[in-house]
Amino acid sequence: MNGKEDFAMTEFCTGKASDREDIIDFINMVFSQTGQPHDFKILLPKLYADDSDTSACHFLAKEDGKIKAVVGLFPTEHVTGGQRLKIGHIGSVSVHKYARGRGYMKQLMAMAYDAAKHGGYDALVLGGKKNRYQYFGFQPTEAAAKYSFIPENFSHQYKGGHDAISFERVEDEHSTYISEIRALYEKRPVYTDRGDDRQFFKVLCSWHSIPYAVLKNGHFAGYITDLCGQCIGEWGFLEISDFPAVLAAWFLQQKLTSLTICVPPYDTAACEVLGKYCESFSSVMRHNWHILNFGKIIEALMCVKNSIESLEEGSLMLRIKKYDGNIELCKLVVRDGDVKTWTESMGAEKMNAGDCERDVAIGLLEAEEALFSAAVNYRSYGLDGGLRYKNWFPLPLCIDENDAC
């Protein structure tokens, strides 16, 4: 059959509760064909545990009632500088190997985009190869710092203190430590609303992570999540100065030969501490983002960055050509320590570009890269490199790996 005949015989639909087990079986089968067995009930309990039903978050392509392709759109709320942002996580993207080349992924991604656009989402995020998802408006962003450690970093540079540190595995949502861990997590300037304690625990266990309470002299001092003995995926401490002692104790207890930690760009205190002991570090872009509401995302993140380092005074007009071809106008102003952002919806009188120091027209992918990744320090964007502006960019757009789908 040719592509048109295949397409005509295909049903594109949203998942129902009756599709739940078929969806899980399908994504397990497709992802297991990469060479490593997958069990999504264990891998992502926040989405696929037996007491979770996210069937309606999946867009499906079916032939004769059988699933041939899946794209998931999972809604979350991110609290960023006190503002709530609706973020859609794209995940479980999969196509049966005998159905590839028929345009199913393209159609399902379009359905997910339309649902997000009309559902009030501010941004979409996913993991995967850059060139595969740029077609759909996604660009690798984030400016996280990746720190690498070896045992010698602590045996030579760190002296004492780790004997007081011990670890206790957090077994379930009823652990006495869950409320303390959650309180630490939600003190961050950027975090995801993970729901109740049961769902919070499921997120901590995503991607085969194992959560541990960190004890100092027998008292709660923080938490870490261990990812396959290779990295610490998430952490929080009552005192950030305990981080080196925790790492020294963790190396000793786990008999590790190496360890990596990725630090979100807003966590300058952790960067200060880890930078003193690490073997090496680099800037990494971990996720691909598609920004739907630039005005809201930029304002929230500029407020976060302004709380970390005072933004220099200035004014900037952005004219961003979005995925649907429309132009989003954003006027950004920093005056007297305050961040102000205006968009067209706030009235034309606020959008006078004549009083802005710079007026930059830019495409979607370039805007996503320039505003939210470290690439802005090395490339020119817009006329005369207009987005290498003051100390405003990159903005600290990021998610924790445990929140990814």
Side-chain angles (χ1 to χ4, degrees):
M1 294 189 296
N2 61 39
K4 289 185 178 180
E5 289 172 333
D6 288 342
F7 195 85
M9 296 174 63
T10 303
E11 175 192 4
F12 294 99
C13 60
T14 302
K16 301 176 182 178
S18 57
D19 293 311
R20 180 180 181 276
E21 291 302 322
D22 288 341
I23 290 171
I24 296 173
D25 286 345
F26 181 80
I27 60 178
N28 281 341
M29 181 269 293
V30 172
F31 281 90
S32 294
Q33 290 174 347
T34 61
Q36 182 176 354
H38 281 62
D39 184 342
F40 274 82
K41 289 187 178 182
I42 296 174
L43 185 65
L44 290 177
K46 60 186 179 182
L47 302 179
Y48 298 111
D50 286 334
D51 60 349
S52 300
D53 185 5
T54 57
S55 304
C57 297
H58 296 77
F59 299 96
L60 311 176
K62 293 183 177 181
E63 294 178 4
D64 297 324
K66 296 181 179 179
I67 297 174
K68 296 298 179 181
V70 171
V71 168
L73 170 61
F74 308 102
T76 60
E77 279 199 345
H78 289 216
V79 182
T80 303
Q83 298 188 48
R84 286 190 170 264
L85 305 175
K86 188 174 182 180
I87 308 297
H89 292 252
I90 300 290
S92 303
V93 179
S94 47
V95 181
H96 195 290
K97 67 178 182 179
Y98 296 141
R100 290 170 188 165
R102 298 178 187 173
Y104 290 172
M105 177 181 165
K106 183 177 180 180
Q107 178 67 15
L108 295 180
M109 288 292 290
M111 292 170 67
Y113 168 76
D114 286 341
K117 180 181 176 182
H118 295 105
Y121 286 74
D122 297 307
L124 302 174
V125 60
L126 54 74
K129 295 180 179 179
K130 171 182 177 179
N131 296 112
R132 185 182 189 189
Y133 292 106
Q134 277 187 328
Y135 294 107
F136 307 105
F138 289 86
Q139 181 77 319
T141 61
E142 303 185 5
K146 182 179 180 180
Y147 293 89
S148 299
F149 297 88
I150 58 175
E152 288 82 357
N153 297 143
F154 300 99
S155 61
H156 287 280
Q157 299 185 60
Y158 181 75
K159 304 297 180 183
H162 62 278
D163 292 341
I165 302 297
S166 60
F167 305 92
E168 185 173 325
R169 182 168 176 172
V170 180
E171 298 288 352
D172 56 41
E173 72 272 17
H174 303 298
S175 166
T176 57
Y177 299 115
I178 280 291
S179 61
E180 294 175 289
I181 291 173
R182 185 170 181 166
L184 269 179
Y185 173 75
E186 293 181 353
K187 283 183 178 180
R188 298 177 173 197
V190 178
Y191 68 91
T192 300
D193 186 342
R194 293 175 172 175
D196 60 19
D197 285 350
R198 184 170 182 78
Q199 189 67 12
F200 184 86
F201 177 73
K202 289 179 182 178
V203 175
L204 288 180
C205 296
S206 293
W207 304 110
H208 297 304
S209 293
I210 301 174
Y212 289 86
V214 176
L215 308 180
K216 185 177 181 180
N217 295 318
H219 300 287
F220 179 80
Y223 76 102
I224 61 172
T225 62
D226 169 51
L227 180 57
C228 302
Q230 298 175 337
C231 71
I232 291 177
E234 185 176 312
W235 71 89
F237 300 106
L238 296 177
E239 300 291 340
I240 194 64
S241 58
D242 286 334
F243 213 157
V246 170
L247 291 180
W250 189 248
F251 260 94
L252 188 64
Q253 176 177 305
Q254 300 294 314
K255 299 179 174 57
L256 300 177
T257 58
S258 64
L259 183 70
T260 61
I261 302 173
C262 283
V263 181
Y266 59 79
D267 198 344
T268 55
C271 290
E272 287 284 349
V273 172
L274 297 180
K276 296 178 181 178
Y277 298 97
C278 69
E279 181 69 12
S280 63
F281 75 94
S282 59
S283 179
V284 295
M285 297 186 290
R286 295 186 296 174
H287 303 101
N288 304 285
W289 288 79
H290 181 160
I291 308 301
L292 301 175
N293 187 337
F294 276 92
K296 192 172 180 181
I297 295 288
I298 290 171
E299 181 179 40
L301 291 173
M302 284 186 72
C303 289
V304 171
K305 188 164 185 175
N306 194 40
S307 70
I308 300 167
E309 57 173 307
S310 296
L311 296 180
E312 298 171 15
E313 292 198 352
S315 55
L316 177 67
M317 175 68 79
L318 296 177
R319 304 173 188 272
I320 303 170
K321 187 174 183 180
K322 299 171 70 175
Y323 186 67
D324 59 7
N326 291 321
I327 304 295
E328 181 176 352
L329 301 183
C330 299
K331 183 178 179 180
L332 318 176
V333 178
V334 177
R335 288 284 184 270
D336 300 322
D338 293 327
V339 174
K340 300 289 185 183
T341 301
W342 290 278
T343 61
E344 283 184 288
S345 62
M346 298 178 181
E349 70 279 1
K350 298 287 188 180
M351 299 306 294
N352 178 22
D355 58 358
C356 290
E357 293 180 2
R358 288 190 183 175
D359 189 336
V360 179
I362 192 169
L364 174 67
L365 297 178
E366 283 199 324
E368 289 167 340
E369 185 175 80
L371 296 172
F372 309 113
S373 83
V376 70
N377 297 317
Y378 306 101
R379 291 186 56 196
S380 296
Y381 298 89
L383 295 176
D384 303 319
L387 283 183
R388 194 178 297 172
Y389 182 69
K390 307 289 185 178
N391 64 337
W392 291 11
F393 310 116
L395 296 172
L397 180 68
C398 62
I399 59 166
D400 287 299
E401 202 62 43
N402 285 57
D403 289 307
C405 297

